Amino acid sequence: MPVGILGIGSYLPENEVSNAEIAERVAVTEDWIVTKTKIEARRFAAADEATSDLAAHAARAALDSAGLTPDDIDMIIVSTSTPDSPQPPTSYLVQHLLDARRAAAFDVNVVCSGFVYALALAQGLIAEHPGRRVLVVAADLYSRSLDFSDRRTATLLGDGAGAVVVGQVGDDYGIQRIDLAARGDLQRLIRVEAGGTRRPASHETVDDGGHFFRMEGRLVREFVLEHIPPALAHLVKEAGVLPTDVSHIVPHQPNGALLDELDKQSGFPNARLHRTVERYGNVGSASVPVTLDAAHREGALNDGDLVVLTSFGGGMSAGHCLLRWRHIETR
C-alpha cells in the first residue's frame, strides 16, 4: 500500500540572529563563521516559546497544506532531542495545543535522524491500519543548550520545526524505501552529558557545563563522508532505480561546508541538493522537513520526482528515504 506525504509545513521563529551577534559572543569574526560553516543567519526562539510551540506552528501549517483539521489525525509523532521537559512527552503538549483529541501520540529521539525514523514508524502504522493519517513533526530548540565559549557548536545551531501529514497516496507515489542505521559505539561524537539518570542535574553539572551541546566536529565529518554516500547508493539500488533517476536530495543541514563535500560525493549526477543551512543554520531533526518544505514552496518539486531524504546525527544515527513526490497545492 503506497504511503506518502499529504501536506507539509514548517515554522522558524521570528528572531533572526546574525553572524555579527554570534561572532561577538563567541569571539570570532563574521568571516570565520562564513568560511567554516557557510551559515549567514539562524533563528532563535522567543523567551516564551518552547519546542512544543514551534512544533504546533509547523503542524498547523502541514494540516492546512493537506486540507485537514486536527480531528482528521489518528496519530502524532514528534521527533525531538530538546523536549520541553523530561515528562510529559512533547507530543502530548502538541496534541493539546492542536486540540487533536482523537490522536494518540508519542515522541522519538534519534537526534538529527529522528524525522526519517518517524516517517518509517508512520509508514508501518498506516500499513497496519489503512486509511489512518499520521502527523509527523520534527522540532528542535538548540539555542538554550549552546555554550558560547565553544565556537565549534555555538556558530552552527538554531531553532525550528517542520511537519508532514502522512497517509495513503496513489499507486507509484510516496515512500519507495527507507533505510535506518545506528552506531552506538560512536555515541560520544555528539552528546549532552548531564540532565539524565547517569548525571542528574545538580550545581556541579551546571558549573561544569554538562548541559551544553557538545560535538566532535572532525570525527562527525569523517563519519558522514565515509558512510552516507554508500548508504544512499544502497538505498536507490535496493529500490530498483538508477542514481540518474533521482531529481532531488534533501539532506540534514549540519553546516554548509560539509554539504559542499557531500554534494560532490553523493553519486546523483542529475539531482539538486537543497539547502537552508545558510538561512537557518542546523535545526536538528527539523532540518530535513524544513528544507523539504522550502523546496516545495519554491516550486522545485514536480509531480513524480524522485526525492532522497538523508539524515545523520547523534547516536551516531542515520536515516535515508526514497520518496516519489506527490503534488501538493501551495496554500
Side-chain angles (χ1 to χ4, degrees), residues 6-8 56 58-76 94-104 131-136 164-166 331:
L6 306 179
I8 185 168
R60 292 187 189 101
L63 288 168
D64 183 62
S65 171
L68 299 173
T69 72
D71 286 337
D72 296 317
I73 297 301
D74 299 286
M75 182 77 70
I76 299 170
V94 174
Q95 184 217 42
H96 174 65
L97 289 169
L98 298 176
D99 196 26
R101 299 187 181 186
R102 284 189 57 251
R132 286 193 173 182
R133 300 184 181 100
V134 180
L135 178 61
V136 174
V164 295
V165 179
V166 181
R331 296 175 183 267

Side-chain angles (χ1 to χ4, degrees), residues 39-193:
I39 296 169
E40 298 171 1
R42 72 285 294 145
R43 304 289 182 89
F44 283 1
D48 61 350
E49 285 184 312
T51 298
S52 62
D53 298 308
L54 276 58
H57 283 302
R60 292 187 189 101
L63 288 168
D64 183 62
S65 171
L68 299 173
T69 72
D71 286 337
D72 296 317
I73 297 301
D74 299 286
M75 182 77 70
I76 299 170
I77 307 173
V78 171
S79 164
T80 187
S81 57
T82 59
D84 286 28
S85 59
Q87 294 184 42
T90 301
S91 56
Y92 283 63
L93 305 177
V94 174
Q95 184 217 42
H96 174 65
L97 289 169
L98 298 176
D99 196 26
R101 299 187 181 186
R102 284 189 57 251
F106 63 93
D107 288 7
V108 171
N109 177 4
V110 199
V111 197
C112 297
S113 300
F115 176 73
V116 175
Y117 271 71
L119 277 184
L121 291 168
Q123 181 186 31
L125 289 165
I126 294 165
E128 186 71 19
H129 301 280
R132 286 193 173 182
R133 300 184 181 100
V134 180
L135 178 61
V136 174
V137 190
D140 275 308
L141 199 160
Y142 278 119
S143 61
R144 290 175 196 154
S145 60
L146 292 179
D147 179 359
F148 285 96
S149 69
D150 180 7
R151 65 183 185 178
R152 298 172 302 172
T153 57
T155 56
L156 295 175
L157 296 160
D159 306 333
V164 295
V165 179
V166 181
Q168 286 182 251
V169 293
D171 289 344
D172 299 327
Y173 288 101
I175 295 169
Q176 308 295 299
R177 182 179 175 88
I178 293 180
D179 289 341
L180 307 175
R183 286 289 304 275
D185 57 308
L186 301 176
Q187 61 189 270
R188 294 285 300 173
L189 299 191
I190 298 175
R191 63 198 185 278
V192 175
E193 296 177 347

